[in-house]
Amino acid sequence: DDDDQQYELFCAYNSLPTFENDLNQLVKQNTLHPSIHKITLIPNIDFSNPNYIQIIQNASGENKKKIDAIIHLAALSSPGYCEQNSSIAWKVNCPTDLLTFHAPIIYMSTDQVYEGTKQFYQEDADETVPVNVYGRTKLAFERVLLRTDTTAEGIELPLLTEKELG
C-alpha cells in the first residue's frame, strides 16, 4: 500500500548556519508529511568536488541502501560569483551526476531564469530567458530534471509539508 510507504530524504547543503536547527524544529513540530520517517543531513557538500557522489553514498550507510530522494540545497546563489566563476557554477548548480542515484531530486528554482523585466512571473505563462550564468545553470538543471523520470518513486514536492504557505 503506497499510503504506508516510508521515505528517508537526503538533504545536501553547503553552508546554511541555521539549517540544521530549522529542520530539527520542523521535525519537533511534526509539520513534515507522515511518510517522511527520516531526514539525513549531508552538510558542507560541494558539488564542484568530484567526490560528492561518494560522500552521498557514504551518508546512505554501510549497506548502501537505496536513496529515496535527494534535496539539493547546495546551489551557488550569488549571480556575481557565478559570473566570475562560471565553470564552478555549472558544476554546483547543474550536478547531473546526482541522476546516477535514480532517486527523485527536489531542487529549488529562482526567478533568475526569467529576463527580469516584470515584477512577477508565472511558470506556465512566461518564457524563461535567463540573463546571467546563475539563471542559466538553474534553468539547465530544471530542464534535465524535467526530462528525466525522477518521480518514478511517487515522491512529489507536496510531500514535504502538510501546511500550505500563505
Side-chain angles (χ1 to χ4, degrees), residues 31 51 53 70 72 96 101 103 105 150 163 166:
T31 56
N51 296 327
I53 292 293
I70 298 169
H72 176 341
T96 56
F101 288 109
I105 298 170
T150 57
K163 293 185 177 181

Side-chain angles (χ1 to χ4, degrees), residues 79-80 82-83 110-118 121 127-139:
C82 291
E83 288 296 323
T110 175
D111 62 355
Q112 297 283 311
V113 301
Y114 300 104
E115 62 186 331
T117 59
K118 293 171 54 174
Y121 290 91
E127 183 182 4
T128 53
V129 183
V131 296
N132 55 36
V133 171
Y134 172 61
R136 286 190 291 276
T137 61
K138 297 289 280 187
L139 180 60

Side-chain angles (χ1 to χ4, degrees), residues 5-13 19 23 26-27 31-43 56 59-60 65-73 103-108 150 153-161:
Q5 184 73 34
Q6 295 288 292
Y7 299 101
E8 178 178 359
L9 303 181
F10 288 79
C11 186
Y13 65 100
F19 181 74
L23 189 59
L26 285 175
V27 171
T31 56
L32 297 175
H33 193 276
S35 65
I36 299 173
H37 76 93
K38 183 177 181 183
I39 298 177
T40 298
L41 299 177
I42 308 170
I56 295 171
S60 71
K65 62 184 173 256
K66 181 184 177 310
I67 292 179
D68 293 326
I70 298 169
I71 304 172
H72 176 341
L73 295 175
I105 298 170
I106 300 167
Y107 183 72
M108 305 305 159
T150 57
E153 309 304 318
I155 296 176
E156 299 171 357
L157 191 56
L159 171 77
L160 291 177
T161 179

